[in-house]
Amino acid sequence: MPVQLGVVGKPNTGKSTFFAAATLIDVKRAPYPFTTINPNIGVGYVRLKCVCKELGVKDNPRNSICINGWRFAPIELIDVAGLVPGAWEGRGLGNMFLDHLRRAPALLHVVDAAGATDEEGRPIKPGSHDPMEDVVFLEREIAMWMYQIVYKDWERVSKLIDLQRKYDELYARFSGLGIKPELVQRVIDELGLQNKRATSWSKEDVLQLVTAVRERYKPIIIVANKADLDPAEDNIKRMIKELGSRYKVIPTSAEAELALKKAAKAGLIEYIPGESDFKIIGGLKPEQERALEYIREKVFKRWGSTGVQNAIDTAVFDVLGMIAVFPVENEKKFTDHQGNVLPDVLIVPGDTTARGLAYIVHTDLGENFVSAIDARSGKRVGADERLSHRMVIKIVARA
Ligand SMILES: Nc1nc2c(ncn2[C@@H]2O[C@H](COP(=O)(O)OP(=O)(O)OP(=O)(O)O)[C@@H](O)[C@H]2O)c(=O)[nH]1
Ligand SMILES: [Mg+2]
């Protein structure tokens, strides 16, 4: 299953526009709160330098796309309804819908960096709301959501923990959020909670635990959207300055990215996602020309790119520390058994070993694993050796 990124934030910040731009799925988008009710799930792409040029081959990608030496590997995006302050207590659409985000190891927090919406997502004059407030609020809502999951039925659960002298019941709550027991244990130790009987843990103790676990194992990336609007410029500079040590802050214009992708699809322009410009190739109507000129002026000149691709790449590679590997069956020709050159690229955790990769490809391959070969050097890779980013690898297995 591809890695999933959750798209979250208060209403009306451009979450669905970001999702549509990344997946080209035509979801409902509108300038008012609670446009999205049910989650949208779709395939987006993470971008990396393909190995085709370096190896001097023409590739035939199967699970991915290669454009001008850039490989686009599939990831999954999930766009959910907007959160308002107090959602954890049932305000707005509540926070039950966050349950859809359990599987996502990282969250893209789409912020209205132009301050063009109030704390509930209602449109206001751009520049009149401070987007930094939204960062604080969202973190609290996410923490309260996790807190409710963990703290549910706490009296019974904490008694059981003390009785069994084991945290199994607690681990089970976190594993539902995709977080492994050993990681939870590490945070319990760090906070010194193991010295206290679970029945005497305060609400604050549990809140501190879920917050620390969330920060480490469900990181948030700030997508500073509507960066094309003038008031966003100062806000984004301030956000990078004040939040940059705790978060990656990526300026984006989801609206611009969506317009460019649509124009490219219609054959009006040439545009590679993530690039800092586009080329006009079709006949444009005056309003299309104006729209593209606006993007050049307000997005590319200011920020270098629309940021949508950058946000995904930053989340997957920098924040989650994942790597891309190219499995092949013929290590001399870099092909699969049908002769496709560099057919697949897999996005895997950064600590994946050769045997681990075999298991990711197929359980049978993992079980019959013998060794692996680094196709670039022709050298053997040990079963427990960690793979590196952009490695081309052949797995040798018993027939
Ligand atoms: N100027 C500008 N407007 C944007 C940008 N991205 C989205 N918008 C506008 O913001 C409004 C809300 O967009 P949506 O994508 O529906 O927002 P949402 O966060 O999914 O909203 P809910 O589903 O209601 O929570 C729409 O009018 C979009 O056109 C952007 O990059 N720049
Ligand atoms: Mg939406």
Side-chain angles (χ1 to χ4, degrees):
M1 244 193 273
V3 57
Q4 190 185 63
L5 302 177
V7 183
V8 295
K10 73 178 185 186
N12 215 1
T13 59
K15 297 181 294 300
S16 296
T17 308
F18 183 95
F19 174 88
T23 63
L24 275 184
I25 298 173
D26 207 5
V27 295
K28 200 169 165 203
R29 308 174 301 275
Y32 46 78
F34 303 120
T35 304
T36 307
I37 293 177
N38 296 316
N40 300 305
I41 300 184
V43 174
Y45 295 89
V46 65
R47 167 176 143 143
L48 63 132
K49 212 165 156 212
C50 189
V51 295
C52 62
K53 289 201 170 161
E54 176 194 331
L55 298 177
V57 293
K58 168 86 192 76
D59 52 5
N60 322 97
R62 286 190 329 161
N63 83 332
S64 44
I65 303 160
C66 187
I67 313 171
N68 280 6
W70 292 104
R71 187 63 82 104
F72 291 84
I75 55 126
E76 200 170 272
L77 285 171
I78 172 163
D79 162 42
V80 296
L83 269 176
V84 294
W88 69 276
E89 294 170 309
R91 289 199 59 239
L93 297 176
N95 71 354
M96 292 307 288
F97 61 84
L98 288 180
D99 287 346
H100 296 289
L101 300 173
R102 282 171 178 258
R103 199 163 76 70
L107 303 175
L108 298 172
H109 178 194
V110 179
V111 174
D112 177 348
T117 40
D118 70 9
E119 57 171 23
E120 314 255 317
R122 287 178 292 247
I124 49 170
K125 191 169 146 275
S128 49
H129 177 79
D130 183 359
M132 299 254 281
E133 285 174 20
D134 299 343
V135 175
V136 179
F137 128 77
L138 187 102
E139 238 196 58
R140 177 164 170 79
E141 290 298 329
I142 299 280
M144 290 312 291
W145 164 60
M146 290 177 71
Y147 167 81
Q148 281 183 327
I149 292 170
V150 172
Y151 206 61
K152 197 175 155 218
D153 206 9
W154 184 248
E155 217 179 289
R156 186 188 62 80
V157 171
S158 58
K159 276 189 194 144
L160 217 55
I161 291 172
D162 288 344
L163 199 68
Q164 299 175 335
R165 297 174 183 277
K166 282 193 302 201
Y167 292 111
D168 290 11
E169 291 289 321
L170 190 63
Y171 296 155
R173 301 279 160 101
F174 280 103
S175 74
L177 292 162
I179 297 161
K180 294 195 187 104
E182 56 269 28
L183 306 180
V184 179
Q185 184 61 55
R186 203 179 296 164
V187 178
I188 290 175
D189 293 346
E190 276 171 28
L191 296 175
L193 284 171
Q194 79 280 21
N195 301 323
K196 236 172 154 180
R197 292 172 67 85
T199 35
S200 65
W201 287 7
S202 64
K203 271 187 162 182
E204 282 66 39
D205 286 333
V206 178
L207 203 52
Q208 210 185 357
L209 174 67
V210 296
T211 305
V213 170
R214 206 283 304 139
E215 274 172 9
R216 251 154 282 186
Y217 309 117
K218 229 174 175 61
I220 294 175
I221 294 93
I222 299 187
V223 176
N225 195 37
K226 307 192 189 177
D228 54 289
L229 298 179
D230 292 339
E233 212 170 353
D234 282 346
N235 282 339
I236 292 174
K237 283 187 190 139
R238 200 158 47 90
M239 286 165 91
I240 292 173
K241 192 160 160 247
E242 289 180 35
L243 301 171
S245 61
R246 288 179 56 218
Y247 297 97
K248 291 274 181 195
V249 180
I250 314 289
T252 65
S253 176
E255 192 77 52
E257 177 76 358
L258 184 58
L260 291 173
K261 289 231 179 111
K262 283 187 172 170
K265 209 174 169 194
L268 300 174
I269 62 168
E270 260 171 22
Y271 170 66
I272 301 173
E275 294 293 276
S276 53
D277 206 359
F278 55 85
K279 199 170 117 196
I280 296 173
I281 51 171
L284 298 178
K285 294 187 193 123
E287 68 268 23
Q288 289 172 325
E289 214 162 293
R290 272 197 300 275
L292 290 174
E293 198 42 46
Y294 174 87
I295 292 172
R296 267 211 177 109
E297 284 300 313
K298 303 283 183 178
V299 182
F300 288 134
K301 276 202 185 148
R302 254 183 211 166
W303 307 109
S305 78
T306 71
V308 171
Q309 190 62 56
N310 188 11
I312 294 173
D313 301 346
T314 301
V316 172
F317 295 132
D318 298 353
V319 177
L320 291 174
M322 300 188 86
I323 56 170
V325 291
F326 296 79
V328 294
E329 285 172 59
N330 181 325
E331 77 279 15
K332 301 233 161 57
K333 294 183 172 160
F334 316 118
T335 55
D336 62 10
H337 62 280
Q338 291 169 322
N340 295 306
V341 180
L342 299 168
D344 296 337
V345 57
L346 300 179
I347 304 298
V348 298
D351 59 0
T352 302
T353 59
R355 193 202 306 273
L357 176 71
Y359 271 104
I360 291 172
V361 174
H362 203 286
T363 316
D364 282 350
L365 199 61
E367 276 162 9
N368 295 313
F369 179 91
V370 175
S371 65
I373 298 165
D374 177 340
R376 271 202 193 83
S377 63
K379 286 199 182 119
R380 198 172 158 271
V381 182
D384 300 320
E385 221 175 292
R386 272 195 187 195
L387 307 182
S388 55
H389 185 45
R390 299 176 66 247
M391 197 168 192
V392 184
I393 185 165
K394 175 191 163 73
I395 292 163
V396 183
R398 279 185 299 274

